[in-house]
Amino acid sequence: MPRDVTLLCRGPVDVREVAEALVLHEDGWGVRALDDGTIMQVCRDADHPVITVLGVHRIDSSDEVERILPDAPVVSTPLWWADTVTPFGPDGEDGIEAAMAAAAVLDAVCVVHGD
């Protein structure tokens, strides 16, 4: 079962920029586009995706963040909400580590669901 990881970015980003920040975590990782580039998958190799960026949406209301993620830290709006998922197991744990590292690169807050 995949795990959801949300990045709440303080500045404008798109799916590719989020994927590029994630791939910085580990030398040798790559990025592949899915669904005509609307989804980006960060992979250890052809058989091991570690995290998938599903989309980025601009959020203009902090009420919306609080409604959906009541336990998230307060982040000023507007913000750019990046939805990602990681696979279950060791590859997914590496994806979570990459998301946490990417948060610093993207000036973002990383929320790992289910922790």
Side-chain angles (χ1 to χ4, degrees), residues 28-71:
W29 283 7
V31 176
R32 65 181 169 202
L34 305 173
D35 197 29
D36 294 326
T38 61
I39 297 172
M40 302 297 287
Q41 193 167 58
V42 176
C43 302
R44 176 184 323 283
D45 57 42
D47 297 322
H48 296 95
V50 295
I51 190 165
T52 303
V53 184
L54 301 173
V56 175
H57 308 281
R58 180 182 164 135
I59 304 293
D60 291 312
S61 170
S62 58
D63 292 342
E64 187 70 2
V65 176
E66 187 175 330
R67 183 181 69 80
I68 298 170
L69 291 177
D71 296 330

Side-chain angles (χ1 to χ4, degrees), residues 17-18 26-27 37 45 55 59 66 72 92 95 100 106 112:
E17 290 168 314
V18 173
E26 187 71 37
D27 288 339
D45 57 42
I59 304 293
E66 187 175 330
M100 292 175 159
L106 297 169
V112 180

Side-chain angles (χ1 to χ4, degrees), residues 1-3 86-93:
M1 178 170 192
R3 292 183 69 190
T86 63
F88 183 73
D91 290 327
E93 293 304 314

Side-chain angles (χ1 to χ4, degrees), residues 2-23:
R3 292 183 69 190
D4 294 324
V5 180
T6 302
L7 292 167
L8 303 174
C9 306
R10 292 178 179 91
V13 294
D14 62 24
V15 172
R16 177 164 291 285
E17 290 168 314
V18 173
E20 288 171 354
L22 290 162
V23 82

